[in-house]
Amino acid sequence: MRKRAPKRRRRSATASAVVSSLLETAEAVETRLEAAVSPLGLSLAKLGVLHPLAEAREPLPLSELAQRQHCVRSNITQLVDRLEKDGLVRRRPDPQDRRGVLAALTPAGEQAYTKGMRALVEAQQAIVRTLSAGDAASLKSALNALTS
Amino acid sequence: MRKRAPKRRRRSATASAVVSSLLETAEAVETRLEAAVSPLGLSLAKLGVLHPLAEAREPLPLSELAQRQHCVRSNITQLVDRLEKDGLVRRRPDPQDRRGVLAALTPAGEQAYTKGMRALVEAQQAIVRTLSAGDAASLKSALNALTS
DNA sequence: TGGCGATAGTTCACGAATGAACGATTGGTG
DNA sequence: CACCAATCGTTCATTCGTGAACTATCGCCA
């Protein structure tokens, strides 16, 4: 009947496979989302900056954007540089703090945000739709376990 | 008793959450793996180039590395540049094709590979270990569903 | 009040990845 | 054989992300 002693090995041999699979599908998903918003001249990174700005409905300090984005301040500097070049955001001095700089959404920025968000959500739903309800639930719980 | 008509909305509201969760945990996992190999002066990208070279046990053309890595040729050019600077790989002309360039593992390269691989596998196992057997299985199947 | 340590944003150099353009070489096929 | 399309590797410009170093300003407290 075979299949008694080995067992032990299974785990380790599979570990790398599961992790690789996670990384690869995440990359595939990310690429797909990126493709969904790129026709609008956007990227996930840019959308990630526009998001808190649009939600707050008021200009925010760059450091706040960095915190919400879980990234380093210098990254936001550059991202905002490009967004400004795109005309989606404008920098303006913080009246409360002369060190600070606020990022303000332009009208074009708001518009780009709503369009981009629509495209993004649609793409996300398309992806989740390929999952059975059970798969979705178990995926969610497994990811939660990983994050803890 | 409530809970009859709505239902519809749930799905869409959750789609973005699941996808975001996937992307975020993947990033966290990647960061962890990166941290595991970085003390050895390696990165996942570099290890990804050393891998096929070590497995093949013979020099390989750069284009082959690009294919196996699912990336663009120019990326391999630069990666091999750095690996050469690190003394882990050496470029040599392809005797069969004068357009081609072969990447050959140096002794230091082989050593770095085995050490890096050890560290990587260990980190992967540590991550998977935080998952219950059930979670691991369901994660695997859900990821499979996503990739298809 | 004066001084000083945190905080804010920028700049720079780097790693990783992409895509376009380019020069060399190779392989059919006419 | 001679040409032409495909392939090979590199270079360049661009995006995105990091971390270190720097300047300006803020806020506190001795």
Side-chain angles (χ1 to χ4, degrees), chain B residues 19-118:
Chain B
V19 173
S20 301
S21 175
L22 172 64
L23 262 32
E24 280 163 29
T25 63
E27 192 172 334
V29 163
E30 198 172 345
T31 304
R32 220 172 134 178
L33 298 183
E34 205 82 58
V37 300
S38 87
L40 307 174
L42 289 176
S43 63
L44 293 185
K46 287 180 182 177
L47 210 44
V49 170
L50 297 186
H51 184 60
L53 250 26
E55 293 302 301
R57 308 191 72 67
E58 64 171 0
L60 295 177
L62 300 202
S63 11
E64 183 138 348
L65 294 178
Q67 281 178 234
R68 304 214 194 181
Q69 225 50 36
H70 304 294
C71 78
V72 133
R73 278 176 358 261
S74 60
N75 192 25
I76 295 295
T77 295
Q78 301 178 154
L79 236 13
V80 170
D81 282 349
R82 292 177 222 127
L83 285 169
E84 218 170 10
K85 217 153 285 177
D86 294 345
L88 306 184
V89 149
R90 245 180 45 209
R91 261 186 250 253
R92 46 136 111 194
D94 185 336
Q96 257 73 63
D97 184 343
R98 274 195 295 171
R99 294 169 298 180
V101 174
L102 302 181
L105 222 48
T106 66
E110 294 181 33
Q111 216 173 310
Y113 172 69
T114 59
K115 282 194 190 175
M117 220 45 196
R118 240 195 290 283

Side-chain angles (χ1 to χ4, degrees), chain A residues 61-63 73-74 77-78 91 97 99-101:
Chain A
L62 300 202
S63 11
R73 280 179 353 266
S74 59
T77 297
Q78 301 177 154
R91 262 188 251 258
D97 185 343
R99 296 169 295 181
V101 174

